[in-house]
Amino acid sequence: MRRSLVALLLVAGVVGYVVWQRPAPPVQPPAPPKPVVLRYADGSKLWSSTDGGPRSEVVKRVLAELAANSMPFDSLVRDGAVVYTTIDAKAQTRAAAILGRLVAPRGGGLGGAVTAIDPASCGVVAYLSGFSHVPDLAAEPKEPGPGLVVAQDVVKTRMTPLEVSATFATFAAGGLQCEPHLVAEVTGADGARRYLAAGEAKPVLGKELADQVTARLQANPVCKGVACAPSSHPTHAWMAGYTPRLAVAVLVEQAGAAADDADLPGVIFQEFLAG
């Protein structure tokens, strides 16, 4: 009996030694990150996480909007997300070309921002900010000035260009208001939908009042028949307005600039709409 027990212990020791000496299974390397792709409204590429260089302000704004809707960047990478934005490639390119030609060469601390919204869906069609000491001038609250105060309780004392264009989109939509957004839809690498913008509108103004505001703004000879409102401030100047299809806000920051730069927002506004 004792010999059998000793033999068993010897066998157990040998087996344990062999198991202990066996090499551990190889550690599987982590899965490579999947690229996150942002697309314009027409499906063409806006940005990819594989692109080098800094992210533009519109890309930062899109990613911030997704994070606010419980889709942080890590989850986008995990899903290999494809983000379809509301940004119109031609409108964005045109706004960049106009600001680059009319604002950038003047220097003197000038900065410009153009935001445009589709009144029917509240999708942001153009979002551009540049040539300013402020990283994202389109998201910088500014005093609107007397020209933009077209209805009480609608225009705040300080507003960003995006908020101004959203306010004018409400007038263009006959008093219906919805949340401006840059993201229309998100899908995973498998094509399954992960997110869809709601785009629900609610009445905040009577249509009669909205129509009265439109008629008053169209009567301004500076606006050339478009509903618009120019406004100046000691440090910046605005032009905001709308057609039935587009609400636009232009801001030109005038820190250290010449007085005639107050006319720039109107020139940018008209050129952008003409395109």
Side-chain angles (χ1 to χ4, degrees):
M1 181 71 180
R2 178 173 295 179
R3 288 181 179 178
S4 299
L5 180 60
V6 171
L8 286 173
L9 290 174
L10 286 174
V11 170
V14 171
V15 171
Y17 177 79
V18 171
V19 171
W20 179 70
Q21 289 292 330
R22 182 184 300 168
V27 178
Q28 295 295 326
K34 300 176 183 177
V36 177
V37 180
L38 273 55
R39 298 195 179 279
Y40 286 107
D42 64 4
S44 59
K45 178 186 166 185
L46 168 60
W47 175 83
S48 171
S49 57
T50 59
D51 295 344
R55 299 170 182 174
S56 66
E57 297 306 328
V58 68
V59 170
K60 293 177 185 177
R61 183 82 187 192
V62 168
L63 297 178
E65 182 177 307
L66 288 169
N69 284 279
S70 303
M71 298 193 72
F73 189 71
D74 289 347
S75 71
L76 301 177
V77 173
R78 185 174 60 249
D79 290 341
V82 179
V83 180
Y84 295 90
T85 74
T86 60
I87 300 295
D88 182 278
K90 292 181 180 179
Q92 186 77 359
T93 301
R94 183 167 182 80
I98 294 172
L99 287 186
R101 178 166 49 84
L102 296 179
V103 175
R106 298 193 178 218
L110 254 68
V114 177
T115 58
I117 293 178
D118 176 1
S121 66
C122 284
V124 178
V125 175
Y127 186 94
L128 197 85
S129 176
F131 320 113
S132 171
H133 66 282
V134 177
D136 188 359
L137 190 60
E140 179 75 6
K142 298 282 187 181
E143 292 183 30
L148 295 185
V149 184
V150 294
Q152 291 183 346
D153 302 324
V154 176
V155 177
K156 305 174 187 176
T157 56
R158 290 177 65 83
M159 302 181 73
T160 69
L162 188 62
E163 289 174 330
V164 171
S165 55
T167 298
F168 280 77
T170 300
F171 294 126
L176 296 177
Q177 182 186 64
C178 52
E179 188 70 23
H181 57 277
L182 288 83
V183 179
E185 183 182 9
V186 180
T187 64
D190 56 1
R193 179 181 289 165
R194 300 289 195 270
Y195 173 83
L196 182 67
E200 296 178 357
K202 59 181 180 180
V204 295
L205 292 173
K207 188 176 185 306
E208 183 179 353
L209 175 58
D211 290 344
Q212 289 175 359
V213 171
T214 298
R216 187 165 83 246
L217 296 181
Q218 287 175 332
N220 190 333
V222 175
C223 298
K224 301 178 181 179
V226 176
C228 82
S231 184
S232 60
H233 187 273
T235 62
H236 53 271
W238 295 87
M239 175 65 88
Y242 53 93
T243 69
R245 296 179 57 190
L246 201 64
V248 182
V250 177
L251 171 68
V252 174
E253 193 177 44
Q254 293 179 272
D260 62 355
D261 290 329
D263 297 331
L264 263 181
V267 176
I268 295 169
F269 177 85
Q270 293 293 347
E271 281 204 28
F272 182 75
L273 280 185

